[in-house]
């Protein structure tokens, strides 16, 4: 999991895919991640469609590129409503504090479970990471 976290950090911008209410895939750029209590977290706003989609259909996919390699990750997104998890995410990603505050009723942090990540390149066999 730590390797996936570092990969996402190095990528800067990575892409999260969800499924909307019509079963259509939706992809958007993200760039905030954190490890809290041994779990990989991502963050968004509860008012956003992406949060509603993850709550209705928790299976997500993440993709990003860094250092000539790419990441493909499939996981289940689980909402963690604890203020401590929100604070940890905001402290790790201070740029989010311009838009979000722990306990504001909008900040949503999701941890990824049952995750399988592949770090791939054109020259090496994929590295598989499960967490």
């Amino acid at each position: 999991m730590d390797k996936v976290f570092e990969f996402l950090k190095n990528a800067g911008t990575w892409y999260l895919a969800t499924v909307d209410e019509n079963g259509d895939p939706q992809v958007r750029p993200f760039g905030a991640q954190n490890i809290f209590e041994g779990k990989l977290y991502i963050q968004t706003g509860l008012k956003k469609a992406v949060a509603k989609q993850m709550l209705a259909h928790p299976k997500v996919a993440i993709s990003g590129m860094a250092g000539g390699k790419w990441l493909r990750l499939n996981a289940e997104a689980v909402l963690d409503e604890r203020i401590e998890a929100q604070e940890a995410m905001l402290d790790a990603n201070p740029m989010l504090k311009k838009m979000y505050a722990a306990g504001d009723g909008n900040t949503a942090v999701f941890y990824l479970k049952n995750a399988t990540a592949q770090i791939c390149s054109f020259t090496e066999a994929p590295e598989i990471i499960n967490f």
Side-chain angles (χ1 to χ4, degrees):
M1 176 186 54
D2 291 330
K3 191 163 191 176
V4 172
F5 172 75
E6 289 300 322
F7 192 100
L8 294 173
K9 271 180 50 176
N10 291 332
T13 301
W14 42 270
Y15 299 87
L16 174 72
T18 58
V19 176
D20 70 14
E21 62 277 358
N22 296 319
D24 295 323
Q26 301 296 321
V27 179
R28 75 277 291 154
F30 268 64
Q33 60 281 319
N34 190 37
I35 293 180
F36 177 68
E37 295 182 345
K39 296 175 183 165
L40 179 59
Y41 280 76
I42 60 175
Q43 188 275 336
T44 191
L46 276 176
K47 297 174 185 172
K48 293 183 176 182
V50 64
K52 293 174 181 143
Q53 292 163 8
M54 286 190 288
L55 290 169
H57 306 283
K59 289 190 177 184
V60 298
I62 291 174
S63 182
M65 291 192 71
K69 295 183 178 185
W70 62 93
L71 172 82
R72 295 188 316 196
L73 183 147
N74 292 298
E76 294 173 48
V78 179
L79 179 65
D80 186 338
E81 298 182 87
R82 295 177 300 151
I83 297 296
E84 299 85 0
Q86 295 175 17
E87 289 171 340
M89 174 62 79
L90 296 173
D91 288 344
N93 298 275
M95 74 283 193
L96 294 175
K97 292 182 178 182
K98 295 176 185 173
M99 300 174 287
Y100 300 99
D104 65 4
N106 185 38
T107 300
V109 294
F110 292 82
Y111 67 87
L112 303 179
K113 77 172 193 177
N114 299 325
T116 298
Q118 294 182 33
I119 297 176
C120 305
S121 78
F122 288 115
T123 59
E124 302 170 22
E127 179 179 358
I128 311 296
I129 303 166
N130 295 300
F131 58 95

